Amino acid sequence: DTGVSQDPRHKITKRGQNVTFRCDPISEHNRLYWYRQTLGQGPEFLTYFQNEAQLEKSRLLSDRFSAERPKGSFSTLEIQRTEQGDSAMYLCASSFVSTEAFFGQGTRLTVV
Amino acid sequence: GENVEQHPSTLSVQEGDSAVIKCTYSDSASNYFPWYKQELGKRPQLIIDIRSNVGEKKDQRIAVTLNKTAKHFSLHITETQPEDSAVYFCAAGDAGNMLTFGGGTRLMVKP
């Protein structure tokens, strides 16, 4: 599968624990995006990168959220001190500059 | 920032009928309007998109229209089939940048 790949697909964690998700974009796509989707809602933009540069991070939900794309290829999204309200689907997407974005299957996070 | 509203939230049609989903946006700087289809438990998939220099675009049974003056755009699906049943999301923004999504429309096509 040469599409956007996300790992893990599902994550159950206890409140207060840290979690990290990985996204592998479509090869050669230089833009990578993170969105959050809660049940019954549309995806909500969190942050995005062009290569390794994080171009927008003001939409990250709190300072507990951070993202990296250290070598301009895969990216990680970390949530520290998880809360029950963090339970959601976390979607990654990638694109070239000025082209359509393709989404991954997402990581479903459940905080218990 | 951009705000996108989508209507209706649910839509039920008979197989073979047409379905129309409408979205409005607030930021006149938005120039890219994609539509995504999301089946239960699956990733959002792009089905069609339109840029602000075009008023209408068609792809087989799917068409999108854009009215920049009124800041609204619509998805039209003709000859609906049961496999069209899914949640559809509109979005607005700038291609290659952040998108703002609508709340989604659950389309049910009854055989």
Side-chain angles (χ1 to χ4, degrees):
Chain A
D1 187 354
T2 56
V4 179
S5 176
Q6 292 188 245
D7 183 70
R9 294 288 308 280
H10 305 274
K11 178 71 176 179
I12 300 174
T13 191
K14 291 184 178 179
R15 191 171 46 188
Q17 297 295 304
N18 298 343
V19 293
T20 300
F21 310 139
R22 176 178 170 127
C23 172
D24 287 271
I26 292 172
S27 179
E28 300 179 352
H29 275 183
N30 50 11
R31 292 219 166 160
L32 185 150
Y33 315 82
W34 285 99
Y35 287 82
R36 183 180 80 156
Q37 187 176 27
T38 54
L39 200 61
Q41 301 297 316
E44 176 187 12
F45 174 82
L46 297 178
T47 187
Y48 80 119
F49 296 83
Q50 177 163 314
N51 301 316
E52 64 274 14
Q54 192 170 11
L55 299 186
E56 171 63 64
K57 57 182 178 180
S58 66
R59 303 298 183 99
L60 287 168
L61 301 166
S62 79
D63 59 7
R64 299 184 294 106
F65 288 70
S66 63
E68 292 184 338
R69 194 182 184 196
K71 297 183 179 179
S73 56
F74 73 91
S75 175
T76 58
L77 177 70
E78 181 182 18
I79 308 174
Q80 297 182 327
R81 305 181 301 282
T82 53
E83 303 172 356
Q84 284 192 320
D86 297 333
S87 296
M89 176 75 82
Y90 290 85
L91 292 164
C92 176
S94 70
S95 76
F96 292 112
V97 175
S98 300
T99 67
E100 63 270 27
F102 294 90
F103 281 87
Q105 297 270 32
T107 294
R108 181 168 295 285
L109 173 66
T110 302
V111 181
V112 297
Chain B
E2 177 65 274
N3 182 49
V4 177
E5 296 194 358
Q6 182 171 347
H7 300 281
S9 57
T10 60
L11 179 59
S12 181
V13 299
Q14 287 294 133
E15 182 178 359
D17 288 349
S18 295
V20 180
I21 303 171
K22 299 182 179 182
C23 290
T24 60
Y25 63 99
S26 61
D27 189 350
S28 56
S30 289
N31 58 22
Y32 176 64
F33 307 92
W35 287 86
Y36 286 85
K37 174 183 180 182
Q38 188 173 31
E39 297 177 59
L40 190 62
K42 296 192 176 181
R43 72 184 77 197
Q45 289 195 302
L46 181 73
I47 55 171
I48 195 167
D49 57 11
I50 190 168
R51 296 175 189 254
S52 59
N53 58 346
V54 175
E56 183 175 0
K57 184 177 179 181
K58 285 185 179 180
D59 183 3
Q60 299 183 349
R61 298 186 296 109
I62 295 173
V64 58
T65 58
L66 171 66
N67 183 326
K68 286 190 297 181
T69 303
K71 295 200 190 75
H72 66 71
F73 56 113
S74 300
L75 178 71
H76 304 253
I77 305 174
T78 58
E79 301 171 20
T80 53
Q81 301 168 1
E83 51 265 39
D84 294 329
S85 296
V87 179
Y88 291 80
F89 293 100
C90 63
D94 187 11
N97 289 294
M98 64 171 284
L99 295 174
T100 301
F101 282 79
T105 296
R106 181 173 301 278
L107 174 65
M108 294 171 284
V109 180
K110 300 177 183 177

